[in-house]
Amino acid sequence: VNEPGSLYPTIMSIDLYPAIIHEGDLSPDSFGPEVDEICNEIDASCKGFGTNEKRLLKAMGSQSPETRCKVPLRYKELRGKELKNVMKSECGKRNFGTALQFLAVSPIEADCDMIKAACKGVGTNELLLFTILCGRSNTEVELLKKKYFEIHTADLGRVLDGELGGDLEKMIFNTLQAAEEIFDSDYHTEALMKEDAAKLYEMGQGKRFGTNEAGLFKILCDRP
């Protein structure tokens, strides 16, 4: 969204999580009959010998982000089981089973689980971490850090500090600060844009020896 007469976007980063995550409203009254129908369809897909994966995928994969937040809570309330554990038991640990486990939790919990998976074992899936963490709004970065600690009892910044190095670590570090400025047409002017462009050149292509990555990333991550 641009302010009238402005060449610059008011917000560059975006919110990906549904409003229900931002508001934290997951009271039982908010579930509704649609959620119960999905829980019943999941049970029907897993009933008997073998799992009807096609039917299960339709039930799990056709939900809106908001509904994805409600179904795991309602499923546990109705069946006394964690939906993610049911998906693991029914579909295994390979790609299909892993995808279903991510769909069996809210989008923010799925992001936390994917970050955990990206840091598991030998080596780090840096591309996955970059995809999840970069470009998020300040609010969602803070929500993600809080949720990660809640689920995995570990500080996300410290976890990533032990997994990353070099330029990507500097980029992720700036992202985790959740310091993107709110657009102000009186401050974020064409003059500032030219000033930033000059600084970026001096820190990168115009620098005689090496590149000032930390300075580059700070400008790129802080500006709206």
Side-chain angles (χ1 to χ4, degrees):
V1 180
N2 291 351
E3 290 194 358
S6 173
L7 297 175
Y8 315 110
T10 302
I11 300 175
M12 284 186 66
S13 60
I14 58 174
D15 286 333
L16 298 179
Y17 301 139
I20 195 170
I21 289 178
H22 287 263
E23 296 165 1
D25 180 19
L26 283 170
S27 59
D29 293 339
S30 68
F31 290 139
E34 176 197 4
V35 175
D36 284 3
E37 290 175 9
I38 294 172
C39 291
N40 291 335
E41 184 65 13
I42 291 169
D43 274 353
S45 303
C46 300
K47 191 175 181 179
F49 182 75
T51 302
N52 188 333
E53 294 184 346
K54 187 175 181 180
R55 185 177 181 182
L56 181 59
L57 180 59
K58 184 177 180 181
M60 297 289 292
S62 60
Q63 302 170 30
S64 69
E66 181 172 336
T67 303
R68 272 184 63 195
C69 297
K70 298 177 181 180
V71 169
L73 297 175
R74 183 58 171 162
Y75 191 89
K76 185 174 183 180
E77 195 175 76
L78 292 172
R79 310 291 189 262
K81 302 176 183 178
E82 294 287 350
L83 183 56
K84 183 167 70 170
N85 293 339
V86 173
M87 293 301 101
K88 184 177 180 180
S89 173
E90 292 290 333
C91 304
K93 300 179 181 179
R94 295 188 177 182
N95 291 343
F96 182 76
T98 299
L100 266 292
Q101 289 174 58
F102 289 144
L103 288 174
V105 294
S106 67
I108 189 170
E109 291 179 63
D111 279 347
C112 291
D113 288 346
M114 283 188 272
I115 291 171
K116 179 79 171 179
C119 299
K120 188 177 181 180
V122 179
T124 303
N125 189 332
E126 296 181 342
L127 180 60
L128 180 56
L129 291 176
F130 176 85
T131 303
I132 294 171
L133 295 168
C134 293
R136 307 301 285 269
S137 68
N138 292 344
T139 300
E140 293 202 343
V141 170
E142 294 296 347
L143 285 170
L144 187 57
K145 290 192 291 185
K146 182 179 179 181
K147 178 60 71 172
Y148 191 91
F149 186 83
E150 178 185 315
I151 296 173
H152 300 297
T153 61
D155 180 80
L156 181 55
R158 291 186 178 180
V159 169
L160 296 178
D161 182 56
E163 294 289 334
L164 302 172
D167 295 345
L168 182 61
E169 181 182 16
K170 296 171 186 174
M171 170 68 87
I172 296 297
F173 174 80
N174 276 281
T175 299
L176 290 180
Q177 301 311 301
E180 183 185 37
E181 301 162 354
I182 298 175
F183 180 79
D184 180 351
S185 58
D186 292 329
Y187 176 69
H188 298 101
T189 61
E190 186 173 354
L192 180 63
M193 179 188 70
K194 291 179 178 178
E195 181 181 327
D196 283 347
K199 288 179 180 178
L200 290 172
Y201 178 81
E202 291 169 4
M203 295 175 186
Q205 188 177 358
K207 200 170 187 295
R208 187 171 180 181
F209 298 106
T211 303
N212 182 354
E213 291 89 356
L216 288 171
F217 295 150
K218 180 168 179 55
I219 292 177
L220 293 173
C221 293
D222 288 358
R223 294 290 188 248

